[in-house]
Amino acid sequence: MRKIILAAAIATSALGLAACSEKTESETGEAVDAMAEDAEANADAAGDAIEGAADQTAAGVEAAADGAAETAEKTADEVGDAAANVAAEAEEAAE
């Protein structure tokens, strides 16, 4: 009788441990899935931030290029006007 009770107690303990292992395995799997989802969300957020920074940089470069082009055009016009004035003064002096 003692052996039967002992065997039943061992079997019950083994089933209890097996149930804990399944629960632990399930919780571990859920934790891994949650970490993977977090990593994916963080990667997406980082990608969005990088894309936003690239867009801002491109807009800044474009604005700087537009400003440089306007300045160059203005300078070219001023040089052309100054050259025309020098040529007019030279003609007047030659007369």
Side-chain angles (χ1 to χ4, degrees):
M1 179 91 161
R2 290 175 74 193
K3 289 182 181 180
I4 293 174
I5 293 174
L6 183 60
I10 291 173
T12 304
S13 296
L15 289 174
L17 288 175
C20 287
S21 296
E22 288 176 20
K23 181 180 178 187
T24 302
E25 183 178 328
S26 175
E27 289 174 354
T28 302
E30 290 172 4
V32 169
D33 290 344
M35 287 188 303
E37 289 173 8
D38 288 346
E40 183 179 355
N42 289 336
D44 288 344
D48 291 344
I50 290 169
E51 185 177 341
D55 290 345
Q56 289 177 347
T57 301
V61 168
E62 185 176 351
D66 289 345
E70 289 174 14
T71 301
E73 186 177 344
K74 182 179 176 185
T75 302
D77 290 344
E78 290 172 355
V79 169
D81 292 344
N85 289 340
V86 169
E89 289 175 5
E91 282 183 26
E92 287 179 17
E95 294 178 358

